[in-house]
């Protein structure tokens, strides 16, 4: 087909319009020519929550929600999780290709050079109350990094953007570990740059008096896989936030903090925390049927189930299910996984969930693994934010280079009062 178009007839005026279709989309601005009369502003599209609105062209992550497919730069997520490290994948997301051994060595060295954070960071971390949520501490401290790097505002300079990207990927685990140590009343641990990205993070979390922390390799690999699975997921709520805030040319620390704030919500990255609370509340398998009934009555949601895009099994949930077994071989079995599996079994055979195409998402099993590793639910979303920082930054960079980028600014339908005089 040459140049596909969409024919639209405005029944108010009887006029016909031909709207070009490109990549399965029409340009919303092409609707503006459709006017009821000369004074009319023109037709707009109404799409709260962006159910059917494309906000950008992207070459980073591909999802087919009906088929349950997720690919980064063309590579299936299952293969990346099996064969690559998180930093390989971070490089892939940022630069478009998997690194050669020399490239990954250089990339790792650059990340390592930036893992330390300014000593003043400790001071404001210490200022948080003992029971501050670690995700709130992380969001605030990422934003605070902006105060240390004033040149980050120069977002039109590609070299500055790259340096800030490396800094963020390197420093977010350090901030996350500081938030964890603060919550636990433990002294902060400095990065150990002899260790890999994930192992160093574990070192900053769990090192005590030993001269050198050596992570369990099975747990380090499991965490690395979880980081790979969470690294990007195209235009979700937090990535869209990154793009919207970034479109105003805010600096990348502030944009990343905004994206992390979006991730913290229980309908997004905060769901993994809610899954554990839900399983705790269910308590024993015999309470599952009554719990499922309350979900079906609409009294509550089955957390970790359903997805805006996936209407099939989330491919990440499959890998996580398998990874769980390797973790339990080290940590001992978390009995909550049996409750989760039973919930899944019931849901996958129940008309309510089948009809709505509700399947486990990435958050359904991840919290159970994290808990087995020794994390409390409050840390789960922080663990999500660390790898997702790379995805946010890959999208931010893509947007910075995109000639179509303008400040994001949606329209509204005003339904309020007409002009009236103050009495
Ligand atoms: N439990 C019970 N019913 C659900 C669930 C759920 N988890 N999710 C959706 N439904 C129902 C809705 O009530 C609705 O039913 P209805 O048609 O009878 O009104 C139908 O399924 C469609 O749901 P929507 O809310 O329209 O789906 P939407 O795409 O807007 O929401 C979302 C997606 C937010 C993820 C939703 O499924 C949800 O709240 N899930 C639980 C929270 C969760 O696990 N979030 C993590 C998502 S993954 C991530 O962000 C990393």
């Amino acid at each position: 087909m040459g140049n596909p178009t969409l024919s639209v007839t405005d029944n108010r005026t009887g006029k016909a319009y031909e709207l070009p279709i490109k990549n399965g989309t029409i340009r919303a601005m092409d609707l503006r020519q459709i006017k009821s009369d000369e004074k009319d502003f023109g037709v707009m599209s109404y799409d709260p929550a962006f159910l059917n609105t494309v906000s950008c062209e992207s070459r980073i992550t591909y999802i087919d929600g009906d088929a349950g497919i997720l690919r980064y730069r063309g590579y299936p997520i299952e293969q990346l999780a099996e064969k690559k490290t998180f930093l390989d994948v971070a490089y892939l997301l940022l630069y478009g290709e998997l690194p050669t051994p020399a490239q990954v060595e250089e990339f790792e060295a650059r990340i390592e050079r930036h893992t330390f954070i300014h000593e003043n960071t400790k001071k404001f971390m210490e200022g948080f109350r003992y029971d501050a949520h670690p995700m709130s501490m992380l969001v605030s401290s990422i934003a605070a990094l902006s105060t240390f790097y004033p040149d980050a505002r120069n977002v039109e300079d590609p070299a500055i953007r790259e340096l800030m990207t490396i800094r963020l990927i390197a420093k977010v685990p350090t901030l996350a570990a500081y938030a964890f140590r603060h919550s636990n009343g433990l002294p902060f641990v400095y990065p150990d740059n002899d260790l890999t990205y994930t192992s160093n993070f574990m070192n900053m979390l769990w090192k005590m008096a030993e001269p050198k922390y050596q992570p369990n390799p099975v747990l380090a690999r499991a965490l690395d896989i979880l980081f790979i699975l969470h690294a990007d997921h195209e235009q979700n709520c937090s990535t869209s936030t990154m793009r919207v805030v970034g479109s105003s040319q805010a600096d990348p620390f502030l944009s990343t903090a905004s994206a992390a704030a979006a991730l913290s919500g229980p309908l997004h990255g905060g769901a993994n925390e809610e899954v554990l609370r839900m399983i705790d509340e269910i308590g024993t398998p015999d309470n599952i049927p009554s719990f499922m009934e309350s979900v079906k009555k609409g009294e509550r949601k089955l957390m970790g189930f359903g997805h805006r895009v996936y209407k099939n099994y989330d491919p990440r949930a499959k890998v996580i299910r398998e990874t769980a077994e390797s973790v339990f071989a080290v940590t001992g079995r978390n009995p909550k996984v049996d409750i989760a599996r039973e919930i899944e079994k019931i849901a996958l055979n129940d008309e309510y969930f089948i009809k709505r195409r509700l399947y486990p998402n990435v958050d359904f099993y991840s919290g159970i693994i994290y808990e087995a590793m020794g994390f409390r639910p409050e840390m789960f979303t922080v663990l999500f934010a660390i790898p997702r920082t790379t995805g946010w930054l890959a999208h931010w960079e893509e947007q910075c280079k995109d000639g179509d980028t303008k400040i994001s600014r949606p329209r509204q339908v005003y339904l309020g009062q007409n002009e009236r005089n103050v009495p």
Side-chain angles (χ1 to χ4, degrees):
M1 206 195 303
N3 292 322
T5 59
L6 177 73
S7 299
V8 177
T9 303
D10 184 347
N11 293 322
R12 299 171 301 178
T13 59
K15 278 193 193 163
Y17 302 84
E18 291 282 299
L19 309 183
I21 300 179
K22 189 182 165 206
N23 298 325
T25 66
I26 57 161
R27 284 227 164 217
M29 277 304 285
D30 286 346
L31 298 172
R32 199 66 86 65
Q33 61 187 305
I34 305 175
K35 298 182 177 195
S36 57
D37 57 50
E38 267 312 300
K39 285 198 186 129
D40 185 13
F41 186 73
V43 168
M44 295 183 284
S45 59
Y46 176 63
D47 190 10
F50 312 118
L51 293 171
N52 197 37
T53 293
V54 168
S55 62
C56 62
E57 292 180 345
S58 183
R59 290 173 174 77
I60 301 171
T61 289
Y62 172 79
I63 302 174
D64 180 336
D66 285 329
I69 290 172
L70 169 60
R71 297 182 198 132
Y72 297 160
R73 304 277 189 187
Y75 294 110
I77 190 69
E78 298 83 353
Q79 292 180 25
L80 291 169
E82 187 192 334
K83 298 181 180 164
K84 294 292 163 189
T85 66
F86 172 69
L87 282 190
D88 290 330
V89 170
Y91 185 101
L92 172 71
L93 289 168
L94 294 171
Y95 301 109
E97 295 297 335
L98 282 166
T100 61
Q103 284 168 330
V104 80
E105 199 176 315
E106 195 207 333
F107 184 60
E108 278 167 9
R110 289 188 74 193
I111 299 277
E112 280 161 15
R113 207 173 307 142
H114 293 283
T115 50
F116 279 71
I117 48 184
H118 195 287
E119 280 292 288
N120 284 0
T121 316
K122 278 187 190 169
K123 291 189 189 148
F124 58 75
M125 275 284 175
E126 279 158 3
F128 290 120
R129 293 194 56 166
Y130 70 97
D131 58 352
H133 196 289
M135 196 57 189
S136 306
M137 290 193 261
L138 182 70
V139 170
S140 318
S141 54
I142 294 174
L145 283 187
S146 159
T147 65
F148 297 107
Y149 303 106
D151 49 340
R153 299 168 77 90
N154 193 0
V155 295
E156 282 176 344
D157 181 336
I160 293 273
R161 289 203 304 270
E162 197 188 12
L163 176 59
M164 299 306 151
T165 295
I166 297 286
R167 280 190 171 139
L168 269 156
I169 295 171
K171 292 180 197 304
V172 164
T174 314
L175 296 174
Y178 276 27
F180 175 86
R181 302 282 293 199
H182 180 72
S183 294
N184 290 286
L186 294 168
F188 301 129
V189 175
Y190 288 114
D192 178 346
N193 291 335
D194 282 347
L195 298 172
T196 65
Y197 188 79
T198 316
S199 298
N200 168 48
F201 176 53
M202 293 167 79
N203 155 69
M204 293 187 288
L205 292 170
W206 289 314
K207 184 174 186 293
M208 293 305 291
E210 64 274 41
K212 176 126 187 129
Y213 179 83
Q214 295 292 357
N216 179 296
V218 175
L219 299 186
R221 179 63 190 147
L223 199 54
D224 210 56
I225 291 174
L226 286 159
F227 279 7
I228 291 171
L229 300 177
H230 286 89
D232 192 46
H233 211 234
E234 51 116 310
Q235 311 311 320
N236 53 77
C237 179
S238 53
T239 305
S240 298
T241 303
M242 181 84 189
R243 282 183 178 261
V244 169
V245 178
S247 79
S248 74
Q249 299 193 342
D251 83 43
F253 297 104
L254 298 174
S255 300
T256 303
S258 317
L263 187 74
S264 72
L267 297 188
H268 190 14
N272 50 16
E273 188 175 333
E274 297 302 321
V275 171
L276 258 276
R277 293 195 201 295
M278 178 185 81
I279 293 178
D280 282 341
E281 192 191 320
I282 294 172
T284 54
D286 45 315
N287 293 329
I288 297 175
S290 61
F291 178 83
M292 297 300 263
E293 280 312 307
S294 67
V295 170
K296 291 192 313 189
K297 280 192 212 141
E299 289 166 6
R300 52 192 311 160
K301 276 191 170 172
L302 182 53
M303 300 310 285
F305 257 70
H307 199 277
R308 172 62 59 77
V309 179
Y310 290 119
K311 302 300 169 196
N312 199 328
Y313 212 103
D314 182 334
R316 301 168 298 174
K318 263 190 212 147
V319 179
I320 291 180
R321 251 182 78 139
E322 288 153 20
T323 308
E325 295 307 327
S326 68
V327 170
F328 296 157
V330 177
T331 62
R333 195 173 178 76
N334 184 344
K336 290 178 189 169
V337 76
D338 299 321
I339 297 187
R341 291 229 165 124
E342 185 58 22
I343 293 173
E344 179 188 333
K345 203 168 95 192
I346 295 175
L348 296 185
N349 291 295
D350 188 292
E351 183 57 24
Y352 175 95
F353 297 92
I354 295 169
K355 201 171 124 210
R356 291 169 179 77
R357 303 176 74 191
L358 300 171
Y359 291 85
N361 60 48
V362 67
D363 286 327
F364 193 61
Y365 286 104
S366 60
I368 296 170
I369 305 189
Y370 290 142
E371 192 180 65
M373 284 179 166
F375 294 105
R376 282 186 287 115
E378 291 79 17
M379 269 303 283
F380 296 170
T381 316
V382 170
L383 298 168
F384 193 154
I386 295 170
R388 185 56 63 85
T389 297
T390 301
W392 294 327
L393 289 161
H395 283 271
W396 174 69
E397 178 62 24
E398 186 176 64
Q399 173 173 274
C400 288
K401 286 189 187 140
D402 186 339
D404 270 353
T405 298
K406 284 182 191 296
I407 186 167
S408 292
R409 205 311 185 179
R411 295 274 173 180
Q412 65 166 7
V413 178
Y414 178 71
L415 298 177
Q417 299 281 356
N418 280 331
E419 185 181 5
R420 50 183 173 161
N421 291 321
V422 176

